[in-house]
Amino acid sequence: MNAIFNKLALSSLVATALVYGGGDIAPTEVHTIEIPKATKSPFYVGIALSSMKLLNSDTDEAFTATGATLSLGYQYNAYLALEARYTKSLSKVEYDNGNTSLAADNDDYPTDFTNLAIYLKPSYKMGDIGIYGLLGYGEVALTNIPEGDVTRGESGFQWGAGVSYAFNDSFELFADYTWLYNGDGFDCLATANSHEATLINMGVSYRF
């Protein structure tokens, strides 16, 4: 009798241990987390209407023009892109002789106003609105100047800043201001005077 009782007691203890110790628990399911893949290419293109100006700060002489800027960029991550830009005057270049009498004003100065540059573009976004900088190297030039059919240009560090607004994942409106050159003289033009070349852009970009 004691042997039977001991066997029943042992069986009861084993059953209790299985119930409370997890012996009756179903196999654990393994859940995987999917990392969403980027749906857009890192490449983008842009086009902008541009206002171009080369100013002699000492004499107020100025060359101005309306142009167009084409850009091609590669977005490394959410905060940094590499962008190449080419700007060319579309309208007639205007010359203002400022406070000098060396030459008459000319609303149809026969030259082209261009800039070619490549920039690092750090940026920060707050929802659909973004702010960014432009830091790079480029060359700004007046080409085919009639006095000897020459080109006057300066190359070096260029910098700027801008704002953007994203309509959706593909289209973005942007506006920026860039200093193309700031120094004494502009090639061989008035080498003793301070010159500043600037560019204002307003355009749209498309991400593939």
Side-chain angles (χ1 to χ4, degrees):
M1 181 68 71
N2 289 336
I4 295 174
F5 178 78
N6 290 336
K7 289 182 180 180
L8 290 174
L10 180 60
S11 298
S12 178
L13 288 173
V14 171
T16 303
L18 288 174
V19 171
Y20 289 98
D24 200 25
I25 298 176
T28 304
E29 294 184 8
V30 178
H31 296 279
T32 59
I33 300 175
E34 289 190 12
I35 299 175
K37 296 181 180 180
T39 57
K40 287 293 179 181
S41 164
F43 291 98
Y44 64 91
V45 296
I47 186 168
L49 184 65
S50 309
S51 176
M52 313 173 72
K53 186 172 186 177
L54 172 62
L55 173 68
N56 183 325
S57 303
D58 296 316
T59 66
D60 290 333
E61 289 179 278
F63 294 91
T64 58
T66 298
T69 295
L70 298 176
S71 58
L72 174 63
Y74 183 89
Q75 190 77 43
Y76 285 103
N77 53 47
Y79 305 104
L80 185 65
L82 182 68
E83 187 169 307
R85 292 186 175 190
Y86 176 69
T87 305
K88 185 179 184 300
S89 57
L90 298 178
S91 71
K92 298 174 180 179
V93 176
E94 295 186 15
Y95 168 73
D96 184 342
N97 66 5
N99 55 31
T100 74
S101 57
L102 299 177
D105 290 347
N106 190 340
D107 292 336
D108 186 14
Y109 194 78
T111 187
D112 292 323
F113 202 157
T114 64
N115 185 66
L116 177 63
I118 187 165
Y119 304 106
L120 282 176
K121 186 180 180 182
S123 62
Y124 181 76
K125 286 197 172 183
M126 299 162 286
D128 295 330
I129 298 175
I131 56 175
Y132 60 88
L134 296 168
L135 304 167
Y137 185 88
E139 180 181 37
V140 56
L142 296 172
T143 63
N144 304 317
I145 297 175
E147 292 86 353
D149 192 24
V150 296
T151 295
R152 304 295 186 198
E154 291 283 355
S155 59
F157 179 64
Q158 298 185 359
W159 69 101
V163 295
S164 63
Y165 177 81
F167 290 105
N168 50 45
D169 290 340
S170 297
F171 289 96
E172 189 172 80
L173 183 69
F174 67 90
D176 52 50
Y177 189 98
T178 310
W179 285 267
L180 309 178
Y181 175 75
N182 193 337
D184 292 335
F186 187 81
D187 204 342
C188 294
L189 298 176
T191 56
N193 298 144
S194 177
H195 285 73
E196 181 181 70
T198 57
L199 178 64
I200 300 174
N201 284 319
M202 179 171 287
V204 64
S205 63
Y206 173 77
R207 191 174 303 279
F208 295 100

